[in-house]
Amino acid sequence: MATAGGSFDRTRAALDPRPLTVGLGYETARMPTIHPRWHDIPLDFIVTETGILARAAGGLRQVAPDEAAALLRDRLKPAAS
């Protein structure tokens, strides 16, 4: 489903806490950049047929399944009150 003008990103930005987001794609469709705009919000993880990519400072990095699981556990921990 296509969205117009970043409406999906604006919806995610308005949610508190921001939801965990995972994208699915094919490695052959990978691009060096999409030239993000001000309203674009990066995904937390991208899964392709070759592995799992996690959002990191400066872009994406390949992670092993056990590291992805640890990152997910940390991200999904309830906030301390």
Side-chain angles (χ1 to χ4, degrees):
M1 174 166 79
T3 60
S7 60
F8 185 73
D9 286 315
R10 285 194 297 273
T11 300
R12 288 178 35 222
L15 298 173
D16 185 28
R18 190 174 69 76
L20 177 80
T21 54
V22 178
L24 301 174
Y26 293 104
E27 196 64 36
T28 57
R30 191 169 178 180
M31 299 168 49
T33 183
I34 60 163
H35 304 288
R37 308 259 325 259
W38 65 269
H39 57 76
D40 290 323
I41 299 173
L43 297 171
D44 296 302
F45 294 91
I46 298 174
V47 179
T48 73
E49 73 279 10
T50 63
I52 303 167
L53 301 161
R55 183 166 44 109
L60 296 169
R61 67 181 179 89
Q62 190 94 23
V63 295
D66 58 336
E67 184 180 1
L71 290 168
L72 282 168
R73 278 192 299 275
D74 289 346
R75 173 73 165 76
L76 297 174
K77 282 182 185 173
S81 40

